[in-house]
Amino acid sequence: MTNQTPVQELFIYNTLSRTKEKFEPLAAPFVGMYVCGPTVYSDVHLGNCRTFISFDMIFRYLLHLGYKVRYVRNITDVGHLTDEDAGEGEDRIGRRAKLEQIEPMEIVQRYTHGFHEVMALFNALPPSIEPSATGHIIEQIEMTKAIIDNGLGYEANGSVYFDVEKFTTQYNYGALSGRTLDEQINNTRDLDGQNEKRGRLDFALWKQAKPEHLMRWPSPWGDGFPGWHIECSAMSRKYLGESFDIHGGGMDLIPTHHTNEIAQSVGCCGKTPVRYWMHTNMLTVNGKKMSKSLNNSILPVELLTGMSVAADSPVATPSLAKLSGPHNVLTRGYSPMTARFFMMQTHYSSTLDFSNEALDAAEKGFMRLMAGARQLTKLKPAAQSSVNIAELRTACYAAMNDDFNTPILLAHLFDAVRMINNIADGRETITESDLAQLTKLYNEFIFDIMGLKDDIGESATGSTTEGLMQLIIKMRAEARIKKDFATSDLVRDELAKLNIVLKDGKEGTGWDIKA
Ligand code: AMP
Ligand code: ZN
């Protein structure tokens, strides 16, 4: 199913089967994809962004192949507790609201807005549907009732729990994580307040609201609020059906959130809900997962400015954040597309470590890729082609069809940059139709599929760099006219030390950043 000539079939690594499987949608050309969205009690950090940017690339590639994708990414605005492992503690949003003495929905509105701003900054397409948990309380209650009716849920003191032990008599609870029941039990802590639950692995579908709890709804079991996991089962079912194609999220969601989502959906409808489970790996800092609780999170606005958000800043939304001094990890700011390119350089299922050095290198690579796009518009066609565009095209599709392998794709696109530069230098030639093919290929893979855009050429640093380079090139040309070869060579050698190569051609001197 493709609007291009099919080059190969798409293979996706499925966490459930632990193999790469041929992608066969349930009802092609339609594809249903659900991705767990953010809990909007604070600003998203770059780790969260990595997961959402990876799924944006996946969404874009499926669209490019001609699929009609319904992409559902939820907003968690209730039920995610401070101690989620235990299913205990305060609601994260309710807690923030109490601290600031404002309505929980004000917290939700603020951080949902911030999240949208960040996603737009990173050029992520909006999902087809963005349902919120509080907008689907009825669906969650209905699903909980169905699970009780099927004998897999029970009520205790106004709360409803999922009976994991009973579930395991019919189904494999640990199918997604690959963990045995004993391993899972050993992974849970012995906790107070578990006396309501029949088993250690049981989790809440509905929680009774204590009098001080702000977010509450009436239910057959009294006033309460839904557990965290049930929202994704209820909303994916509502918008994508009882079985759908792709479900995604970060790897950290596998053992609990996604395992419980499967149990609930199977417990309610008796069907395996998801065909392909896809998981992104973590963005790390010095090898440790970037996370709010580890205090090592870097916010998008900090990446852009190289500054820290002030401790008393009410919001860290890029357009509204109050900044303090220089950032303790970042030595300077980077463009959003530099960060997106940095993420595309690594496969979504590998860990990616964030550092200044890695971003500096990514910036150079990204500049080369964008310089290639600009150079491409200036190429002159010839009568014959010495380059093979069909081969390049096959290689690019093969990379993406192999579980969305963007690092391999980028390697091919850098081959294309060399090709473009060789054509510009007159070392290779290209026909008009091949040039049109190359331009289409280059633009489609870089801009439509990887979702990059040229924010370096347009940015202040980009245009300043270009301006400075033109000035240096002009000074060197003047030195050569005066036969001052010592100066012209010095300029060239000093630039080479900075990885900048000057290229003397018929139409003047150009510059490039070395691979
Ligand atoms: P949360 O708002 O905590 O529910 O997280 C939203 C999404 O970000 C989930 O899919 C998480 O798995 C993902 N996530 C959290 N931390 C990271 C990280 N350091 N790197 C990549 N993804 C992450
Ligand atoms: Zn979810």
Side-chain angles (χ1 to χ4, degrees):
M1 171 60 226
T2 138
N3 62 10
Q4 314 281 319
T5 326
V7 176
Q8 259 186 8
E9 276 146 339
L10 171 62
F11 279 75
I12 295 182
Y13 181 84
N14 189 348
T15 310
L16 197 56
S17 65
R18 286 167 249 294
T19 53
K20 276 186 207 167
E21 292 177 29
K22 190 166 123 187
F23 182 56
E24 287 175 319
L26 280 165
F30 301 100
V31 170
M33 176 162 95
Y34 187 95
V35 173
C36 295
T39 306
V40 284
Y41 74 107
S42 67
D43 296 280
V44 283
H45 56 63
L46 290 177
N48 306 129
C49 292
R50 180 186 186 202
T51 288
F52 300 126
I53 290 170
S54 298
F55 283 103
D56 179 60
M57 174 275 292
I58 289 163
F59 178 40
R60 285 167 173 274
Y61 189 57
L62 293 171
L63 290 176
H64 174 80
L65 291 181
Y67 289 116
K68 301 197 180 330
V69 189
R70 181 178 294 165
Y71 172 24
V72 183
R73 188 185 64 207
N74 69 302
I75 294 284
T76 297
D77 56 357
V78 70
H80 203 160
L81 304 182
T82 43
D83 188 355
E84 198 46 58
D85 287 350
E88 292 296 326
E90 272 184 90
D91 183 288
R92 295 185 190 200
I93 287 155
R95 182 163 165 261
R96 254 332 259 269
K98 266 188 209 152
L99 275 172
E100 295 192 30
Q101 296 187 312
I102 58 176
E103 279 291 321
M105 276 300 135
E106 287 184 82
I107 299 289
V108 167
Q109 181 68 21
R110 179 199 291 170
Y111 294 110
T112 304
H113 171 75
F115 174 59
H116 289 161
E117 197 177 301
V118 165
M119 286 296 101
L121 195 71
F122 287 121
N123 205 27
L125 297 172
S128 327
I129 305 178
E130 194 173 52
S132 68
T134 56
H136 295 77
I137 299 292
I138 291 170
E139 287 82 351
Q140 295 174 78
I141 291 175
E142 289 304 311
M143 202 164 198
T144 303
K145 283 203 283 192
I147 294 169
I148 296 175
D149 289 348
N150 291 338
L152 291 166
Y154 58 90
E155 193 208 329
N157 302 327
S159 293
V160 180
Y161 295 97
F162 190 92
D163 192 334
V164 174
E165 203 172 310
K166 194 138 177 232
F167 182 78
T168 57
T169 60
Q170 291 177 65
Y171 305 100
N172 178 6
Y173 176 70
L176 192 68
S177 66
R179 290 186 188 167
T180 64
L181 218 54
D182 280 347
E183 280 168 347
Q184 287 173 86
I185 290 171
N186 290 339
N187 263 314
T188 56
R189 284 176 283 141
D190 206 358
L191 296 152
D192 299 338
Q194 289 240 351
N195 44 4
E196 271 175 20
K197 298 185 194 173
R198 291 181 190 162
R200 275 233 335 237
L201 292 175
D202 293 0
F203 57 91
L205 299 169
W206 186 263
K207 288 282 271 184
Q208 186 201 43
K210 305 227 168 71
E212 68 277 13
H213 200 93
L214 292 175
M215 302 176 87
R216 55 203 300 140
W217 290 264
S219 82
W221 316 285
D223 269 14
F225 58 96
W228 174 36
H229 318 298
I230 192 79
E231 65 175 270
C232 291
S233 291
M235 296 190 289
S236 62
R237 178 185 178 213
K238 177 167 174 127
Y239 297 111
L240 299 173
E242 289 179 357
S243 286
F244 57 95
D245 299 302
I246 299 174
H247 191 315
M251 274 181 190
D252 54 338
L253 300 184
I254 297 173
T256 311
H257 184 56
H258 288 167
T259 293
N260 291 346
E261 262 190 70
I262 297 176
Q264 292 165 155
S265 298
V266 173
C268 161
C269 316
K271 275 190 197 165
T272 309
V274 176
R275 308 244 300 176
Y276 304 87
W277 278 97
M278 295 186 68
H279 291 99
T280 50
N281 212 327
M282 297 294 110
L283 182 69
T284 58
V285 186
N286 295 321
K288 287 206 178 66
K289 174 185 168 184
M290 185 181 287
S291 102
K292 210 172 142 56
S293 53
L294 289 177
N295 241 339
N296 64 352
S297 48
I298 300 174
L299 300 175
V301 68
E302 296 177 322
L303 170 89
L304 301 185
T305 57
M307 306 278 277
S308 287
V309 170
D312 64 345
S313 181
V315 242
T317 299
S319 61
L320 300 171
K322 195 172 129 194
L323 299 168
S324 57
H327 195 269
N328 59 352
V329 175
L330 293 157
T331 50
R332 65 181 176 97
Y334 297 89
S335 84
M337 290 303 110
T338 300
R340 189 165 172 133
F341 174 87
F342 164 67
M343 293 177 187
M344 293 295 134
Q345 278 181 311
T346 298
H347 191 257
Y348 74 81
S349 68
S350 305
T351 53
L352 173 61
D353 201 56
F354 186 95
S355 68
N356 277 302
E357 296 71 35
L359 275 168
D360 286 342
E363 187 176 69
K364 281 188 187 138
F366 181 53
M367 283 175 84
R368 276 182 63 224
L369 206 62
M370 292 302 107
R374 286 191 290 270
Q375 181 75 278
L376 192 53
T377 61
K378 295 182 206 141
L379 294 186
K380 306 257 178 336
Q384 301 276 322
S385 270
S386 64
V387 291
N388 189 338
I389 305 302
E391 199 176 270
L392 177 69
R393 183 170 183 279
T394 306
C396 289
Y397 277 101
M400 285 304 284
N401 286 334
D402 183 15
D403 196 27
F404 311 93
N405 201 325
T406 52
I408 302 282
L409 171 67
L410 280 169
H412 295 312
L413 291 170
F414 280 116
D415 287 343
V417 172
R418 270 186 285 278
M419 185 191 277
I420 291 165
N421 289 337
N422 285 343
I423 297 166
D425 290 352
R427 271 178 281 155
E428 302 263 23
T429 57
I430 190 162
T431 61
E432 194 164 356
S433 80
D434 273 356
L435 182 56
Q437 284 289 319
L438 176 61
T439 305
K440 185 167 181 280
L441 187 83
Y442 202 83
N443 291 339
E444 280 179 348
F445 277 96
I446 293 171
F447 302 116
D448 300 349
I449 296 171
M450 279 193 288
L452 295 166
K453 56 184 185 185
D454 189 354
D455 67 355
I456 287 236
E458 291 160 9
S459 73
T461 44
S463 54
T464 309
T465 309
E466 187 58 48
L468 284 172
M469 283 309 300
Q470 290 311 325
L471 183 67
I472 293 167
I473 288 169
K474 202 166 147 209
M475 287 166 73
R476 176 170 167 265
E478 277 166 12
R480 290 175 83 174
I481 289 167
K482 286 191 236 146
K483 302 214 180 310
D484 179 3
F485 295 115
T487 300
S488 77
D489 289 351
L490 180 75
V491 168
R492 190 197 53 216
D493 297 345
E494 288 302 311
L495 287 174
K497 284 185 198 160
L498 298 170
N499 273 335
I500 295 172
V501 272
L502 292 182
K503 292 181 171 176
D504 296 312
K506 274 180 248 143
E507 312 214 359
T509 303
W511 65 282
D512 203 353
I513 294 172
K514 241 191 292 178

